[in-house]
Amino acid sequence: MSQGRQRIARVATRRQHTEPVSSPAKDASGPGLPVQLRKRSHSRATATAQITAEPQPFVTDPVSFKSVKQEASADGSEAVHVVSTEQPVKPPRARKRKQPEAQDQTSEAHASHVLAHTAAAADGKQPVTASSSPNTVCSPRRRTKASVNGKTEDTLLANAADMVQQAALSVAEPVSNPAKSPKQQKPRAKAVIKSETAAEPEATGAAVSAQQAEPTKNSATNADTSGKPRKQRKPKVVVKTETVVVKEDPETPDASAVALSDESPKKSKPRKPRAKKVLTVEQLLESVDVVPYRERVMPKKWVGAHVSMGGGLERAVVRAASIGANAFALDTKSKRQWESKPIEVDTADKFKQACKDYGFGPEHILPHGSYLINLASADPALLTKSYNAFVDELKRCEILGIRLYNFHPGSTCGKCPPEESMDRIAEQINKAHTETNSVIVVLENMAGAGGSVGHKFEYLHHIIDKVQDKARVGVCLDTCHLFAGGYDVASPETFEQVVAEFDEVVGLQYLKGMHVNDSKAALGSKRDRHENVAKGLIGKDCFSFLMNDDRFNGIPLIMETPVQCEGPHIDYKLSLLAGGPVYKGPSEAETGINTDKRDIAWLNSLSRD
């Protein structure tokens, strides 16, 4: 041992006797080591060094801040501290991603650190099993001597420096873009060095050469007699590089890919929006092959359905034509609201023009009144509201050029006898006639549920008899209401008896229209439940009789049945211009036929004319 190291050992031994240390913590895996080195009094500072319970060959002296090697004495009573020439050990920090330029200095310092421990262990008795450097991990099973192939410490340090420099030159420098500022630079492809030896990546340099080199038989022959180390062939180190591309922002292209590319990225020019081709009315009409609906042959039976007025009253005309109707019903306003905004003149003109273009006359339209109207009510407030709504709808029909108006007579609500309520209905009709000019009020027969008035022919006769202007009053018979009210219309024979009774009590001259509905409820049940024609309890014979009886010619025959399929979408703007239905989107073969269109075609097929 050199004189300097002997002096350091003596100083460490003296401090051991003057400064007590804590008792060593015993570990089942090996000899005990001190857990804490405490300095009770010193002029510099008060510090405590934490050392793990696992065996560590080097600790930091709190006085000199040097790495101290601990060795147990022969009897195990005390520990001898040998001060090493190592630099002070700093607490480990979180590893940061190193740039390629800083790897050369780190590898060179690390190689010197490993060789220093190897040279220090050459003079000691205990082999090196761990390193105090946080970046070095040496296997405790591998024994490393100070002399490798007869080389001295200086030779190993020189070789390590040469190998580190050679490895650094072999790694390609990352491509940088001088046009961008450092803030705009993005992390480039990271070069990873892999060695084919069993050593760790940090142990490049002297550690690699020490592990790959094999000791010769006579180590003395490897050194020169003059004291200078003889040049020895350097071991081959295979360096492999891998390119790792880290993308930080998925929306921004990788900077390295842009820098490595020879061609600058091409900027796509924004396309100018194409000008939409505007077609004239004549061109639109030529693009569709539509036969004007008014040119159809009007049959004797005016079969239709109740259609929606959504989007405008004029669209109801197009919907009626789209289902092949020769008559239709609609609402002049919402059935569930007392008041609505007045019909504008422009709206009325569009509706009249659509009816003219499609061949519908005033006699082919049978609008339905609001369900809120109850002219039979004994409540004065409700009666006033019902009368005002009733007159408003009559005036709407006059504005639209409609001649008929169908409504439910009302209900007693259990507050008055039926005769009193019927007189009240007739009185309100007479008053409404004075405020309107030409609209015919059409009473609909009821099913008889609750206190409803009009489910018997005698009730209808009582009301008509009290009306002063008989030319402006009429009746609409509903087949479902007839059946639910106790009038059997299921067979042609019974239907004939019902028609004869109506003619006798009321008179066929007052029949202004019919509602063609099947019934879900049984005969006489007084339940108003509509069903598609020939799908309910009434059956096919009733409608076959109706379609072949001339007494029902020239009046609207309106269906009020459920709709399961709406059919294809209609282009209303083009349909109103063309005078016939024009469709858009999927065809009828894809969407299915409209339910009303199917039932109207079936009813027309029953006619023998």
Side-chain angles (χ1 to χ4, degrees):
M1 183 182 297
S2 61
Q3 294 180 0
R5 294 186 178 180
Q6 291 177 2
R7 182 172 58 81
I8 295 172
R10 287 195 297 272
V11 172
T13 305
R14 189 182 304 111
R15 286 176 178 169
Q16 179 184 7
H17 292 285
T18 58
E19 298 175 6
V21 295
S22 60
S23 59
K26 299 298 181 180
D27 189 6
S29 62
L33 290 178
V35 179
Q36 293 182 350
L37 292 175
R38 300 178 180 177
K39 178 178 178 302
R40 295 186 178 180
S41 61
H42 198 270
S43 58
R44 291 188 179 181
T46 301
T48 301
Q50 289 292 120
I51 302 178
T52 58
E54 298 180 359
Q56 296 186 3
F58 293 92
V59 297
T60 303
D61 184 26
V63 178
S64 61
F65 292 91
K66 295 184 179 181
S67 182
V68 179
K69 178 181 178 182
Q70 299 179 9
E71 296 179 359
S73 62
D75 55 356
S77 60
E78 61 181 1
V80 178
H81 294 257
V82 179
V83 180
S84 174
T85 58
E86 281 296 317
Q87 297 296 328
V89 179
K90 297 181 180 180
R93 297 182 180 178
R95 296 185 63 183
K96 297 182 179 180
R97 182 175 295 177
K98 299 178 181 180
Q99 297 295 333
E101 294 81 356
Q103 291 183 358
D104 298 343
Q105 299 177 3
T106 304
S107 301
E108 183 177 357
H110 182 68
S112 302
H113 181 73
V114 175
L115 283 177
H117 278 287
T118 305
D123 296 334
K125 297 180 181 181
Q126 185 177 356
V128 177
T129 59
S131 174
S132 61
S133 175
N135 296 331
T136 306
V137 179
C138 297
S139 175
R141 297 182 180 180
R142 183 175 289 108
R143 305 290 182 178
T144 308
K145 295 183 178 180
S147 177
V148 181
N149 293 339
K151 290 189 177 183
T152 62
E153 180 179 350
D154 297 335
T155 305
L156 293 175
L157 286 172
N159 292 341
D162 294 340
M163 295 178 65
V164 170
Q165 184 177 4
Q166 182 180 0
L169 293 175
S170 62
V171 179
E173 295 183 1
V175 181
S176 62
N177 190 0
K180 292 187 177 181
S181 61
K183 294 183 179 180
Q184 298 177 350
Q185 289 285 347
K186 291 196 173 181
R188 298 296 193 273
K190 184 177 180 181
V192 181
I193 303 176
K194 289 187 177 180
S195 175
E196 292 184 349
T197 63
E200 295 295 330
E202 292 85 1
T204 57
V208 177
S209 63
Q211 293 173 8
Q212 288 189 348
E214 297 180 358
T216 58
K217 295 181 180 180
N218 188 5
S219 60
T221 58
N222 293 332
D224 195 0
T225 55
S226 60
K228 296 181 179 180
R230 186 172 57 185
K231 292 183 180 180
Q232 188 178 1
R233 186 177 180 181
K234 299 178 181 179
K236 295 182 179 180
V237 178
V238 180
V239 180
K240 293 184 179 180
T241 60
E242 293 182 358
T243 302
V244 181
V245 179
V246 180
K247 292 185 178 180
E248 295 182 354
D249 190 358
E251 297 181 357
T252 307
D254 190 9
S256 60
V258 177
L260 293 174
S261 177
D262 294 334
E263 298 179 358
S264 59
K266 297 181 180 180
K267 296 182 179 179
S268 59
K269 296 181 180 180
R271 295 182 178 180
K272 295 181 179 179
R274 295 181 179 179
K276 294 183 179 180
K277 187 177 181 180
V278 180
L279 299 178
T280 61
V281 177
E282 291 76 9
Q283 292 175 343
L284 287 173
L285 296 178
E286 291 177 359
S287 62
V288 293
D289 186 11
V290 179
V291 178
Y293 199 72
R294 64 176 179 270
E295 296 181 2
R296 70 188 184 282
V297 178
M298 181 65 70
K300 296 179 180 180
K301 297 292 189 299
W302 300 344
V303 182
H306 192 109
V307 293
S308 172
M309 65 170 184
L313 291 171
E314 67 278 3
R315 292 192 176 189
V317 182
V318 180
R319 293 187 181 100
S322 67
I323 60 177
N326 295 315
F328 65 93
L330 78 162
D331 302 324
T332 59
K333 67 176 185 179
S334 175
K335 291 182 178 180
R336 305 187 184 278
Q337 292 181 0
W338 287 107
E339 297 179 359
S340 298
K341 64 178 183 179
I343 298 177
E344 299 179 357
V345 178
D346 182 60
T347 303
D349 293 341
K350 290 180 179 179
F351 178 80
K352 293 178 181 179
Q353 185 63 40
C355 291
K356 181 179 179 181
D357 294 339
Y358 280 81
F360 291 104
E363 65 279 3
H364 300 135
I365 306 171
L366 184 63
H368 201 292
S370 173
Y371 293 143
L372 300 176
I373 298 175
N374 184 11
L375 299 182
S377 176
D379 184 1
L382 179 59
L383 181 61
T384 302
K385 294 177 67 175
S386 298
Y387 176 77
N388 293 335
F390 179 71
V391 174
D392 178 65
E393 293 198 5
L394 291 178
K395 292 181 178 180
R396 285 174 176 267
C397 292
E398 289 184 345
I399 294 174
L400 297 175
I402 299 174
R403 191 166 61 93
L404 302 174
Y405 172 75
N406 175 74
F407 78 106
H408 294 174
S411 173
T412 62
C413 299
K415 296 181 180 181
C416 60
E419 291 76 10
E420 181 182 345
S421 61
M422 290 184 286
D423 293 341
R424 191 177 294 111
I425 293 171
E427 181 182 354
Q428 304 303 315
I429 293 175
N430 291 329
K431 192 191 324 185
H433 281 170
T434 60
E435 297 187 30
T436 57
N437 298 321
S438 59
V439 178
I440 299 175
V441 176
V442 180
L443 300 168
E444 183 177 350
N445 69 307
M446 304 304 295
S452 61
V453 179
H455 62 286
K456 294 182 178 180
F457 293 156
E458 290 78 11
Y459 290 173
L460 298 175
H461 169 73
H462 185 95
I463 297 172
I464 294 174
D465 188 55
K466 298 291 182 177
V467 174
Q468 298 176 359
D469 190 354
K470 301 290 192 294
R472 296 182 60 187
V473 66
V475 176
C476 174
L477 292 179
D478 190 314
T479 55
C480 176
H481 296 175
L482 286 172
F483 191 76
Y487 295 97
D488 188 5
V489 292
S491 64
E493 295 79 14
T494 56
F495 200 167
E496 177 64 35
Q497 295 176 5
V498 171
V499 173
E501 184 179 354
F502 176 80
D503 187 19
E504 182 181 353
V505 176
V506 180
L508 285 174
Q509 68 274 15
Y510 291 105
L511 185 63
K512 304 299 180 181
M514 289 192 69
H515 287 167
V516 184
N517 304 313
D518 210 322
S519 177
K520 293 181 180 180
L523 175 66
S525 61
K526 296 184 179 182
R527 297 177 60 194
D528 186 8
R529 298 292 183 269
H530 295 194
E531 180 60 286
N532 296 98
V533 291
K535 302 291 183 181
L537 298 178
I538 296 178
K540 173 184 175 181
D541 294 340
C542 167
F543 306 106
S544 178
F545 176 81
L546 187 148
M547 292 298 296
N548 292 281
D549 194 322
D550 294 339
R551 290 173 291 185
F552 305 110
N553 292 346
I555 59 174
L557 306 176
I558 306 300
M559 295 190 309
E560 297 176 324
T561 54
V563 176
Q564 292 81 22
C565 180
E566 296 289 345
H569 297 286
I570 303 173
D571 189 339
Y572 292 100
K573 293 182 179 180
L574 195 56
S575 298
L576 292 172
L577 293 174
V582 178
Y583 303 97
K584 61 181 179 180
S587 62
E588 187 177 78
E590 299 174 356
T591 61
I593 188 173
N594 182 279
T595 306
D596 288 336
K597 183 178 182 179
R598 178 201 64 190
D599 293 345
I600 290 174
W602 180 79
L603 287 173
N604 288 327
S605 66
L606 298 176
S607 178
R608 302 186 186 95
D609 296 339

